[in-house]
Amino acid sequence: MLTLIGLLTIVCLVALLLSGRMSPVLPLIMVPLLGAFCAGFGPAEISTFFTDGVGRVISIATMFVFAITFFGVMQDTGLFRPIIGFMVKLTRGNVIAVAVATAIIGMLAHLDGAGATTFLLTIPALLPLYKQLRMSPYLMLMLLAIGAGILNMVPWAGPLGRSAAVTGIEVTELWRPLIAVQGVGVVLLVAMAALLGWREQRRIARTGGTLIEDGESDHIGDPGALSEEERALERPGRMWINAALFVGVLVSLFTGVLPAGYVFMIGLSLAMLINYPNGKLQMKLLAAHSPAALSMGMIILAAGSMLGILAGTGMLTSIAQDLVKVLPEPMVGQLHIILGFFGLPMEFLLSTDAYYFGLLPVVLEVVESHGVEAASVVYALMIGNIIGTFISPFSPALWLALGLARLEMGQHIRYSFWWMWLFSLLMLGAAALLGLF
């Protein structure tokens, strides 16, 4: 019964997010709450689940609010316009080159294994370029997400650490065979970026840059045409000090000298003092950037409450345990490969913790009797799933990316799902050819 309620809760949640007919905050809050009540949990237990869930994402929400505002103020100063101009000149307006560059930049930015940092580093710089060339920002997000998925196999990124904790295998020992798979992934992603860039170039030539999705038209205006108010906010004479501040914030994020949220608090304060010392103007800028920051901060907090309830009620664990019971006996020995094949779609059912701490141990126990090694199970489940990390509503970093790019979850899923699943299966096939399972 708990599995059934959990599945209905997640299906309803994903359906409402895909529909785009209401603010994501509402289904993220109400659907899990109703599911918990149906499962027989009372207010006292739900309060504990809520506190635990929000506690996991409060630092991300804090970082998000101040990061959005910081990058907004940096854009107001005009800091990124010369960079974008240089990138446009470097690529000579070549859409294919921009797509390939996006894929490479996304992988480099994810070397630290942190999804939030990856999107914070890349989206504010790339989004104006995509608008300049009238490219779809959903293409940008998909390429960044796939690149981050490939690099997410490094030992310090999380999935390998969870797998090592479950299997008892040393994390670096698990990683060494994956290096070749990551190399194949890099080559595949560059090739895919070139193909999708070519497709995007044809779309732009055909539509003039108009994005046509589901019968609706959304024309991206020319970002080069600045209003009088935008020009008044530019600070070309302070370009270098703003660049130094920007680099200082990025270095602080990489080194972890201070919590990310606090880094952006300090960065925003310095940006205001350096560029806009007038108190009234400071309040005006904060008010201008706060709607996006606060609304997405609310979504992250709501997602935290959702994760807390689904995990605390045991729905996620129950789903993971029951999923392995639906296969016929002859297929049990291949269970890890079958689940790896459907690993990416399972991102819509299981959080990362539920996948590695709920599903992985059960699969290990089931296939062990058929002589399957623990490392093979890890590789099949991880490679089949990890590319989909940043297409799942369970990923707080994805909500951060959507907020930075002003995009919608449902449209991102519709745009990226099949391409990302195809890429995931290609990676799975490469791993099989390399003898990982």
Side-chain angles (χ1 to χ4, degrees):
M1 181 59 69
L2 190 59
T3 297
L4 178 60
I5 294 173
L7 286 173
L8 289 174
T9 298
I10 293 172
V11 168
C12 291
L13 178 62
V14 172
L16 289 172
L17 289 172
L18 285 172
S19 71
R21 294 182 178 179
M22 62 179 67
S23 168
V25 172
L26 301 182
L28 286 172
I29 293 173
M30 297 306 299
V31 174
L33 176 63
L34 293 175
F37 280 135
C38 291
F41 292 91
E45 295 165 304
I46 292 174
S47 297
T48 302
F49 303 152
F50 166 80
T51 302
D52 292 342
V54 171
R56 297 183 200 174
V57 300
I58 188 66
S59 60
I60 296 175
T62 302
M63 177 188 67
F64 184 90
V65 170
F66 285 93
I68 284 287
T69 312
F70 171 76
F71 283 117
V73 171
M74 287 288 97
Q75 288 178 340
D76 288 338
T77 66
L79 175 64
F80 300 122
R81 291 193 182 101
I83 300 174
I84 300 308
F86 173 75
M87 292 177 70
V88 172
K89 185 180 294 185
L90 187 66
T91 60
R92 297 181 179 179
N94 189 307
V95 172
I96 299 175
V98 170
V100 172
T102 300
I104 296 172
I105 289 170
M107 289 185 284
L108 292 175
H110 201 70
L111 281 171
D112 66 344
T117 304
T118 299
F119 296 128
L120 287 167
L121 293 176
T122 56
I123 290 177
L126 288 172
L127 186 59
L129 175 59
Y130 270 69
K131 290 183 177 180
Q132 180 85 13
L133 299 178
R134 304 183 187 278
M135 296 174 66
S136 170
Y138 290 99
L139 172 61
M140 172 192 68
L141 182 55
M142 181 177 70
L143 292 174
L144 292 175
I146 294 176
I150 295 171
L151 268 292
N152 213 29
M153 296 184 207
V154 293
W156 52 88
L160 265 186
R162 291 178 175 89
S163 300
V166 171
T167 61
I169 303 173
E170 172 63 36
V171 66
T172 53
E173 185 179 338
L174 279 173
W175 180 49
R176 289 189 194 103
L178 286 172
I179 296 175
V181 179
Q182 289 180 290
V184 172
V186 171
V187 174
L188 286 175
L189 180 56
V190 170
M192 178 178 282
L195 172 64
L196 295 176
W198 173 76
R199 187 188 72 156
E200 186 71 2
Q201 192 173 58
R202 293 187 63 191
R203 182 194 65 79
I204 293 170
R206 186 176 67 253
T207 66
T210 301
L211 301 180
I212 304 176
E213 301 287 353
D214 299 331
E216 296 182 3
S217 180
D218 177 21
H219 192 79
I220 300 176
D222 181 7
L226 300 179
S227 66
E228 292 292 331
E229 186 176 0
E230 287 174 326
R231 292 191 183 279
L233 292 174
E234 284 192 325
R235 296 294 185 267
R238 298 168 193 171
M239 182 71 68
W240 290 110
I241 190 171
N242 284 325
L245 173 61
F246 182 71
V247 171
V249 168
L250 299 187
V251 170
S252 299
L253 289 174
F254 272 122
T255 59
V257 63
L258 290 171
Y262 196 33
V263 168
F264 282 113
M265 286 182 180
I266 297 171
L268 175 61
S269 300
L270 291 176
M272 287 291 195
L273 291 172
I274 292 168
N275 297 285
Y276 311 108
N278 183 281
K280 290 184 178 179
L281 183 55
Q282 290 173 358
M283 295 302 295
K284 182 179 179 181
L285 289 174
L286 289 175
H289 295 295
S290 62
L294 292 176
S295 64
M296 288 307 300
M298 291 171 63
I299 289 175
I300 290 175
L301 292 173
S305 71
M306 171 199 70
L307 291 171
I309 290 176
L310 292 181
T313 57
M315 292 181 191
L316 294 180
T317 302
S318 179
I319 291 171
Q321 292 173 344
D322 287 343
L323 276 174
V324 301
K325 300 177 182 178
V326 300
L327 294 173
E329 180 63 26
M331 299 175 65
V332 172
Q334 304 297 317
L335 180 60
H336 57 304
I337 298 176
I338 294 170
L339 292 178
F341 185 91
F342 294 102
L344 190 141
M346 287 172 65
E347 277 289 329
F348 296 97
L349 296 176
L350 304 173
S351 67
T352 301
D353 286 334
Y355 192 80
Y356 289 98
F357 293 137
L359 181 62
L360 176 58
V362 179
V363 178
L364 284 168
E365 184 176 346
V366 170
V367 301
E368 184 181 17
S369 60
H370 289 69
V372 180
E373 295 182 358
S376 296
V377 178
V378 170
Y379 296 143
L381 291 183
M382 176 186 293
I383 296 169
N385 168 268
I386 203 164
I387 298 300
T389 300
F390 300 113
I391 197 174
S392 168
F394 290 119
S395 171
L398 176 57
W399 289 106
L400 170 62
L402 293 168
L404 288 168
R406 309 292 194 272
L407 301 179
E408 296 180 0
M409 174 67 81
Q411 186 59 46
H412 169 55
I413 294 173
R414 288 192 292 270
Y415 186 96
S416 304
F417 177 81
W418 295 106
W419 284 107
M420 293 180 74
W421 194 8
L422 172 63
F423 192 92
S424 179
L425 295 179
L426 291 175
M427 290 276 288
L428 202 63
L433 292 175
L434 290 169
L436 268 66
F437 49 81

